Structures are given as structure tokens and as C-alpha cells.
Amino acid sequence: EGGGTALGAALEVNTVLQELDIGTNGIVGDGFATLAESLKENTSLHKLILGGNSFKDEGAKALADALMANRGIKTLGLIMNGITDEGAE
């Protein structure tokens, strides 16, 4: 979880990074929530790969909320995160 929190803090101020692949890094819980929240502020990312982190429905909802404010991300990889129909709503 600490890695997700640290990465989230960095993404909030990032203005250069356009692609980020953090698949299968075990980012879940509070760390994922912080990461998702940072996407509301980040305007440079265009591609974000999050596959294999198993953040499940709760994480998917946090991510969806963040993406409502972030219009820059055009490619999003979410495979193998345990997202059910509930999390996809």
C-alpha cells in the first residue's frame, strides 16, 4: 500500500510522464485509493496499465470517480483486478 501512496503523491505533481504500467504490483486498499485520487490532478498521463493488482470493486469505483475529473487518459488496462458487474457500474 505504501508504494501506491508514494506513487500517487508523485503523480499529483507530474507534468511529463505520459505512459505508466504498474501492472501486478499489488497496489490495493488505501494505496490504490491514493493513487486513484491523484489522477484527478494529473493531466499528462494518456496511458495507464493497472492489470493484475486485484483492487476489486472498491478500487474500480475509486478509479471511476477519479476518471470523471481526468480527461487525459485514453488507454486504460484493467485486466485481472477482480472487478465484478457491481464495480463496473
Side-chain angles (χ1 to χ4, degrees):
E1 290 186 22
T5 300
L7 187 55
L11 285 176
E12 280 187 6
V13 296
N14 167 63
T15 59
V16 179
L17 188 66
Q18 295 182 5
E19 295 185 14
L20 180 62
D21 183 341
I22 49 176
T24 62
N25 276 285
I27 302 172
V28 296
D30 291 341
F32 188 81
T34 301
L35 175 68
E37 187 68 21
S38 74
L39 296 176
K40 291 180 179 179
E41 303 298 324
N42 182 287
T43 58
S44 65
L45 276 181
H46 298 290
K47 181 177 181 179
L48 180 60
I49 306 301
L50 297 168
N53 281 294
S54 300
F55 51 76
K56 302 189 183 338
D57 292 341
E58 183 178 324
K61 290 177 182 179
L63 183 60
D65 181 56
L67 292 177
M68 294 297 288
N70 181 316
R71 300 293 184 196
I73 295 177
K74 304 299 182 203
T75 303
L76 183 62
L78 298 175
I79 193 169
M80 296 180 3
N81 279 300
I83 302 170
T84 68
D85 289 345
E86 180 181 332
E89 289 180 357

